[in-house]
Amino acid sequence: MRVSTLSALTTTAVLTAQLALAQTVITAPKNKYKPQEDVQLGQEASAQVEQQLPVLHDDNVTGYVQEIGRRLVDAIPADQRHPEFHYTFKVVNVKEINAFALPGGPMYVNRGMLEAAKTEGEVVGVLAHEMSHVALRHGTAQATKATKYEIGTIAGAVLGAIVGGNAGAVIAQGTQFGLGTAFLRFSREYERQADIEGAQIMARAGYDPRDMANMFKTIEAQGGGGGPQWMSDHPNPGNRYAYINKEAQSLRIQNAVHDTGSFRSVQARLNQMSPAPSTEQATKNGGGSRNPGRTGGGPVTGNVQRPASGFKSYNEGNLFKISVPSNWRELPGNSSVTFAPEGAYGTANQQSVFTHGAEVGVARNESHDLKTATDELVQALAQSNPRLRQASDYSRASVGNRDGLSITLSNVSEATGNDERVKLFTALLQDGTLFYMIGVAPNNEFGVYEPVLRKVASSIQFAR
């Protein structure tokens, strides 16, 4: 009997060891920031988020999400626990299917995500994925690799770059309301890490990781023709559904929680409320007082001088030099720099705007292909500027001493209500980062501005 018992225990131990070895080992990427700086960044960004977006104040809904969150926090691996971090969970009362987390622990899930989920396990999958980004410190790891035009200062976690005054950010492809790409639009490798780490956290918390895989299918199906916001913020590493399910095989648990009465109760409660607005509607209707942005000043006057014939040069750190008309002013931002004449920049509808001039910056991309990367930037612009339309095909252009692309887009300025043209120039830097210049002018002045914008683009001298 003793031999049999010992044999059974040994077999169990071997099987357990094999299952443990089968789990994928996730190592947090290099990071020059201290955990305390994650907390500072997250707090600053969170304060601005809650000025811009309407947080849902309902104890039942919020309490439910907080309870799930606490279970997941308790399941974070010991080597990825940071005592400085404070995880918080809030619901944003907007209809888009989205969720995001900020460095140091602030986490947000849109009401639209809760309404779209088919099971509690799918909600858990979203939160576990986002929590993994925080625990692995992906936000500041991404910032470690970023240039100053992707992250700017510590306070630059939330951006407000506006084309023509329209709601949304130009460079901030991470969200519709202006969160910087360096914090929220992660690489495919970071996405894969968050998928696998999230699956492991789910299993330790008593949930089936396959619900995370199912969640991706659910939100993709609910996203409509353009795809849900969450999917655009979280690029698919490839074979996502397959590798999450493969990971789940080594994490299988008995009596996993898939659904609960609490989840159904919360969905029923949300269904009784007035329909959630879109993010754009919420911000326009006072969902929060928006960050005035980087251009500042009073209202746009519309009294704008024509571009001067003389040019003035600016040295933008260790990235590039540029020459612009001498009557344009430099307006540095957190992720880009704008050059505009007096009367062409200021505020409109509590938004920072410019109606004439150019914005210059960089956007990290995955493709390292100029056409594909430019397509992604145009799509991001269209997402945050719904009246933006393509007015020309791509053409070859000189961007400094590099071969680049240019395209003309049409838009309607919310600052003036008039039609405007947007001229986009792009080129790839040596590390594959997309460099862009966006020129803006009213339709009736575009004939004057287009050759000036081309001259500005060709004047650029890259440092790398």
Side-chain angles (χ1 to χ4, degrees), residues 160-170 280 283-284 290-292 294-295 300 344-356 359 384-388 411-418 420 422 438 440:
I162 308 297
V163 167
N166 212 344
V170 176
E280 184 177 359
T283 53
K284 283 184 177 179
R290 293 181 64 90
N291 184 357
R294 64 175 184 277
T295 57
V300 176
Y345 56 87
T347 56
N349 299 326
Q350 296 184 329
Q351 301 285 344
S352 175
V353 302
F354 72 101
T355 58
H356 303 63
E359 179 184 279
S384 55
N385 296 271
R387 289 184 284 187
L388 193 73
N411 193 34
V412 177
S413 171
E414 287 194 357
T416 65
N418 297 326
E420 65 184 1
V422 178
I438 300 173
V440 179

Side-chain angles (χ1 to χ4, degrees), residues 145-448:
K145 301 183 296 182
T147 72
K148 70 173 185 175
Y149 286 97
E150 290 175 288
I151 182 170
T153 62
I154 291 291
V158 179
L159 312 178
I162 308 297
V163 167
N166 212 344
V170 176
I171 180 56
Q173 300 170 47
T175 68
Q176 293 177 330
F177 52 88
L179 288 170
T181 59
F183 287 94
L184 295 183
R185 189 174 176 83
F186 300 116
S187 68
R188 288 181 172 85
E189 176 56 28
Y190 287 2
E191 285 302 307
R192 182 177 180 276
Q193 286 189 344
D195 288 343
I196 294 175
E197 183 67 32
Q200 295 174 0
I201 288 174
M202 284 184 72
R204 282 190 289 270
Y207 290 92
D208 189 336
R210 288 173 294 191
D211 283 337
M212 175 189 282
N214 293 333
M215 175 270 295
F216 291 116
K217 287 192 172 183
T218 295
I219 61 178
E220 188 171 13
Q222 295 283 339
Q229 179 66 32
W230 194 91
M231 296 297 283
S232 66
D233 297 347
H234 299 72
N236 192 336
N239 299 319
R240 193 172 221 165
Y241 184 84
Y243 70 66
I244 292 174
N245 276 288
K246 182 179 179 181
E247 187 72 18
Q249 293 177 4
S250 66
L251 303 169
R252 188 169 299 164
I253 58 174
Q254 294 182 347
N255 302 319
V257 176
H258 293 276
D259 213 348
T260 64
S262 297
F263 170 70
R264 296 300 169 193
S265 176
V266 163
Q267 283 199 322
R269 188 173 183 84
L270 292 173
N271 191 49
Q272 293 173 355
M273 298 179 186
S274 300
S278 67
T279 299
E280 184 177 359
Q281 290 170 334
T283 53
K284 283 184 177 179
N285 294 336
S289 56
R290 293 181 64 90
N291 184 357
R294 64 175 184 277
T295 57
V300 176
T301 66
N303 183 19
V304 179
Q305 292 182 349
R306 294 165 69 93
S309 57
F311 274 55
K312 179 179 180 180
S313 295
Y314 292 86
N315 188 346
E316 299 302 323
N318 61 353
L319 186 61
F320 66 93
K321 294 181 181 179
I322 189 171
S323 296
V324 301
S326 58
N327 62 341
W328 289 13
R329 177 185 172 189
E330 180 185 27
L331 306 162
N334 292 318
S335 68
S336 59
V337 60
T338 299
F339 299 93
E342 292 291 338
Y345 56 87
T347 56
N349 299 326
Q350 296 184 329
Q351 301 285 344
S352 175
V353 302
F354 72 101
T355 58
H356 303 63
E359 179 184 279
V360 185
V362 294
R364 190 169 298 278
N365 71 92
E366 295 293 321
S367 65
H368 299 293
D369 171 78
L370 178 58
K371 173 64 165 54
T372 303
T374 305
D375 284 342
E376 291 177 355
L377 180 57
V378 171
Q379 290 168 8
L381 290 171
Q383 185 176 47
S384 55
N385 296 271
R387 289 184 284 187
L388 193 73
R389 299 290 184 271
Q390 184 171 329
S392 75
D393 294 329
Y394 285 114
S395 61
R396 294 290 174 183
S398 174
V399 181
N401 58 352
R402 298 179 188 272
D403 292 332
L405 291 176
S406 70
I407 187 173
T408 304
L409 308 164
S410 65
N411 193 34
V412 177
S413 171
E414 287 194 357
T416 65
N418 297 326
D419 292 338
E420 65 184 1
R421 293 277 169 159
V422 178
K423 190 74 175 182
L424 173 64
F425 297 86
T426 60
L428 288 179
L429 301 181
Q430 290 180 357
D431 63 358
T433 301
L434 182 70
F435 178 92
Y436 71 85
M437 186 184 98
I438 300 173
V440 179
N443 266 12
N444 60 354
E445 299 179 58
F446 188 68
V448 173

Side-chain angles (χ1 to χ4, degrees), residues 101-138:
L102 298 172
M107 296 183 61
Y108 298 85
V109 57
N110 281 8
R111 175 179 164 184
M113 180 70 82
L114 296 175
E115 291 174 329
K118 295 179 180 178
T119 65
E120 178 170 297
E122 291 191 359
V123 175
V124 173
V126 173
L127 293 177
H129 176 100
E130 298 297 342
M131 186 176 293
S132 297
H133 281 310
V134 177
L136 293 167
R137 305 184 62 212
H138 281 161

Side-chain angles (χ1 to χ4, degrees), residues 5-22:
T5 302
L6 178 62
S7 176
L9 291 173
T10 303
T11 300
T12 301
V14 170
L15 288 175
T16 302
Q18 288 176 340
L19 286 175
L21 289 173

